[in-house]
Amino acid sequence: MKITDIQLGMVRVPLKTPFKTALRTVERVDDIIVAIHTDTGHIGYGEAAATAVITGDTHGSIVAAISTVIAPRLVGREIADLNALTRLVQTALERNTSAKAAVEIALYDLFAQLHGTPLYRILGGGDPVLRTDITVSVDTIDKMVADALSAVDRGYDALKIKVGKEPRVDLERIRAIHAAVDGRVLLRLDANQGWTPKQAVHAMRQLEDAGIEPELLEQPVKAHDLAGLKYVTDRVHVPVMADESVFGPVELIELIRMRAADIVNIKLMKTGGLSDAIKLADIAGLHGIDCMMGCMLETSISVAAAAHLAVAKSDVITKIDLDGPSLCASNPVEGGVRFDEAEISIGDAPGLGIVSIRDMQPIAS
């Protein structure tokens, strides 16, 4: 199975409700799609989210990175040489992690298709059913409570509550949601870098004093502030999870050395695809650190790849935040992983199982 062409497109999918965090507000998913064609007729699909405020990737940079730098390295090469292909992707240029992720996802899709088996089995096997949390975006208290109750009614047993705007109001939001759900679901707090270290400690101590114990607190401080992250971790009882502070193995090793966090959120758009995500899970596992498998605002193309990896690494990846497809108003993918509210299930189709992508607009490369 040899690569003959790499084509790019875009999907535009409205969200059911605006996605609001301390960093941004988004009303629609606009992602770049990669389709790698082969001489056997097989096609591998990948997806890149343009999340400039987090990864630095934009639509223009993703298209340029793939079409002018990465793709020329891959055309004509054999899919069977997967490790060599991923090295070519990772060494093609610095950063550009979302662009690299899209290409790697498509390569892994094809590699599993080559062997006639779902991707998770190639990665190590496991139980192909997961349960994800769902995000409750920053909004008015009444809206956030209503969204939380709606999620509980739809069968979710974990909610990711977005905070990080104003600590005082954030505490009111958390208290109101906690009272409304009355212990029926786990609460995960995500400040998206929105607090200072002292604000985070003060906020969490107030919650603890009120008898409110979230399952975790995600990225309370700026991504580069590992000392601040450690300050929070050392002073609160709630486990602290690093997200934007860890993109790849180098950052994770430093985080572990400093003991700056308790949990790590792995996202393919940060790691540049599956190869480094696997390394993160393995390094974390060696040090007894649990991981979450997360996503940006992505459709069921790249989130499918994340789900396959989460299944294969379930001994380390113990928490799932793969709600991107559930936040979308529609699914552009025929086939692939099934996202049914909180339940994610993987079928027996080879690779990612994607048959086609509807309403994809071609991008000239």
Side-chain angles (χ1 to χ4, degrees):
M1 187 185 293
K2 185 178 292 186
I3 298 171
T4 57
D5 191 21
I6 299 178
Q7 298 178 2
L8 302 179
M10 177 176 281
V11 292
R12 303 182 187 275
V13 183
L15 297 175
K16 294 175 182 175
T17 188
F19 183 85
K20 302 177 183 179
T21 74
L23 294 175
R24 59 182 178 143
T25 297
V26 182
E27 297 185 352
R28 185 178 69 183
V29 174
D30 296 318
D31 283 2
I32 303 296
I33 306 304
V34 174
I36 300 183
H37 294 254
T38 65
D39 60 353
T40 59
H42 294 82
I43 303 173
Y45 292 101
E47 176 184 0
T51 315
V53 72
I54 297 174
T55 66
D57 295 284
T58 66
H59 291 131
S61 70
I62 291 167
V63 171
I66 295 173
S67 62
T68 66
V69 183
I70 299 174
R73 288 183 152 213
L74 302 180
V75 173
R77 295 186 177 268
E78 293 286 346
I79 290 297
D81 296 330
L82 181 63
N83 287 342
L85 294 176
T86 60
R87 279 195 299 271
L88 287 172
V89 172
Q90 295 302 323
T91 60
L93 70 174
E94 291 296 315
R95 301 178 182 87
N96 289 276
T97 54
S98 294
K100 291 175 180 178
V103 176
E104 272 211 6
I105 290 167
L107 291 173
Y108 273 86
D109 182 12
L110 284 168
F111 186 75
Q113 289 183 51
L114 174 66
H115 293 278
T117 190
L119 177 58
Y120 77 91
R121 290 182 185 156
I122 288 287
L123 298 177
D127 180 0
V129 178
L130 301 167
R131 288 190 65 80
T132 181
D133 64 14
I134 193 165
T135 298
V136 176
S137 291
V138 174
D139 215 309
T140 65
I141 292 175
D142 288 347
K143 177 67 162 60
M144 292 180 74
V145 168
D147 288 346
L149 290 173
S150 173
V152 173
D153 290 342
R154 301 197 316 272
Y156 288 93
D157 44 34
L159 306 179
K160 178 180 275 197
I161 311 299
K162 293 292 187 180
V163 292
K165 285 282 192 180
E166 310 157 272
R168 181 185 61 79
V169 181
D170 285 336
L171 288 173
E172 293 178 14
R173 292 172 172 126
I174 297 163
R175 291 190 188 105
I177 292 170
H178 179 266
V181 300
D182 192 26
R184 287 178 287 168
V185 292
L186 295 171
L187 299 183
R188 299 167 176 172
L189 307 183
D190 184 4
N192 283 113
Q193 310 179 56
W195 290 338
T196 68
K198 287 187 177 181
Q199 285 175 334
V201 171
H202 181 66
M204 297 314 296
R205 285 181 175 172
Q206 287 197 62
L207 292 178
E208 291 168 2
D209 290 344
I212 299 173
E213 297 185 8
E215 184 189 14
L216 58 84
L217 170 63
E218 182 174 359
Q219 197 64 50
V221 302
K222 297 297 183 185
H224 66 270
D225 188 8
L226 289 188
L229 192 63
K230 177 176 173 57
Y231 178 93
V232 179
T233 301
D234 288 346
R235 287 166 175 79
V236 302
H237 294 298
V238 172
V240 174
M241 180 165 71
D243 180 6
E244 292 92 348
S245 290
V246 175
F247 270 55
V250 173
E251 293 97 332
L252 177 56
I253 290 168
E254 180 63 10
L255 184 97
I256 292 170
R257 187 192 68 79
M258 292 181 62
R259 302 184 182 218
D262 305 296
I263 312 167
V264 175
N265 193 344
I266 300 173
K267 295 178 178 176
L268 300 184
M269 295 301 121
K270 292 188 305 174
T271 61
L274 288 150
S275 61
D276 269 3
I278 293 166
K279 291 174 186 174
L280 284 186
D282 289 342
I283 293 169
L286 286 171
H287 291 85
I289 296 174
D290 282 355
C291 296
M292 172 182 279
M293 193 78 230
C295 63
M296 305 296 195
L297 277 177
E298 305 160 40
T299 74
S300 60
I301 302 165
S302 53
V303 180
H308 278 265
L309 177 58
V311 165
K313 294 289 184 179
S314 60
D315 57 328
V316 176
I317 299 173
T318 59
K319 305 176 194 309
I320 306 298
D321 177 36
L322 298 178
D323 61 347
S326 296
L327 298 174
C328 291
S330 61
N331 182 9
V333 176
E334 181 183 348
V337 171
R338 181 172 175 266
F339 294 87
D340 183 15
E341 295 288 4
E343 186 169 284
I344 300 171
S345 52
I346 300 174
D348 291 329
L352 297 179
I354 296 172
V355 175
S356 63
I357 300 173
R358 293 182 291 273
D359 301 321
M360 183 172 69
Q361 303 166 9
I363 296 174
S365 57

